[in-house]
Amino acid sequence: MQRILQFMIRHIIILSISTFLLVSCKKTVQNTTTKTQKTGMQIPVKRRGIDTLSSLSRKQVNDWMEYENLNSYLKQFNNTSPNDALNMAVELNEYIKILKDSLKIEDLKTNSLNARFNVLRNEALRLTDMTRIPAIQPDQVNAQIDKILLVFNSYTQKVNTIYSKKKFDEEIDLDNFFNTNQ
């Protein structure tokens, strides 16, 4: 009887140890398919589009490739994240600098267009400065991009206005108009 008892105790101990080892070695399966959440700096923002030159203005500035290059580059900002915009800021400044250096059209060498260019340059430089601010917020970057697009649209509209006015002045001969009324 004692032998049977020892045999049973031995089996109970072996069975207990085996159960304990199986339970402790059991792998826990973790769900590793979590979606990576994007921060505010990584979420693309849809913005207002870029204004286009009128057909009259386009005919007058068709050789001004630097304007077209800047226009095309700025279209990339229409649907971009703040991170991407900050990464593109230095190159944007280069396009703007080249635009100023390439202006050879006498009709466009006006103070009002020059003022718009200076504002555009300053806003683009501000965006470049934002690349050096570690705690910059996405809404600040988005607001700066909106300012840049707004000023560029103002620049484009001023070019349109200059050529519309020029066409109007050519169509109406004011000297002849005032001479016939005397």
Side-chain angles (χ1 to χ4, degrees), residues 30-165:
Q30 294 180 348
N31 188 4
T32 58
T33 59
T34 59
K35 292 183 179 179
T36 56
Q37 291 191 353
K38 292 183 177 183
T39 65
M41 293 294 284
Q42 298 169 329
I43 298 172
V45 176
K46 187 79 171 160
R47 295 183 175 79
R48 181 180 182 271
I50 301 289
D51 290 349
T52 60
L53 289 172
S54 66
S55 58
L56 175 64
S57 299
R58 189 177 315 276
K59 289 176 191 174
Q60 300 295 325
V61 299
N62 64 352
D63 293 334
W64 194 16
M65 292 308 300
E66 292 78 8
Y67 174 85
E68 284 302 319
N69 292 341
L70 177 60
N71 188 23
S72 296
Y73 193 73
L74 281 172
K75 285 181 182 177
Q76 295 177 28
F77 285 85
N78 283 343
N79 191 18
T80 188
S81 69
N83 266 346
D84 292 339
L86 291 174
N87 291 336
M88 295 169 22
V90 174
E91 192 172 355
L92 174 63
N93 276 298
E94 289 301 316
Y95 277 110
I96 292 172
K97 183 177 184 268
I98 291 169
L99 179 76
K100 175 69 171 181
D101 295 340
S102 70
L103 183 58
K104 306 283 189 250
I105 303 168
E106 288 301 319
D107 292 338
L108 300 180
K109 291 184 179 182
T110 65
N111 290 336
S112 57
L113 197 61
N114 192 38
R116 284 170 176 78
F117 171 81
N118 289 335
V119 174
L120 178 63
R121 176 92 169 127
N122 288 336
E123 295 300 339
L125 287 171
R126 172 70 180 125
L127 183 65
T128 302
D129 289 344
M130 287 180 167
T131 63
R132 297 180 196 100
I133 301 172
I136 194 76
Q137 297 297 315
D139 57 335
Q140 294 170 320
V141 176
N142 289 329
Q144 192 61 33
I145 295 166
D146 291 340
K147 286 179 189 177
I148 291 169
L149 295 177
L150 181 68
V151 174
F152 184 74
N153 285 340
S154 172
Y155 189 89
T156 300
Q157 290 305 319
K158 186 60 182 178
V159 171
N160 288 338
T161 303
I162 289 169
Y163 285 113
S164 294
K165 181 183 178 300

Side-chain angles (χ1 to χ4, degrees), residues 8-18:
M8 286 177 64
I9 292 176
R10 206 180 299 156
H11 277 1
I12 292 175
I13 292 175
I14 291 174
L15 184 62
S16 298
I17 292 174
S18 299

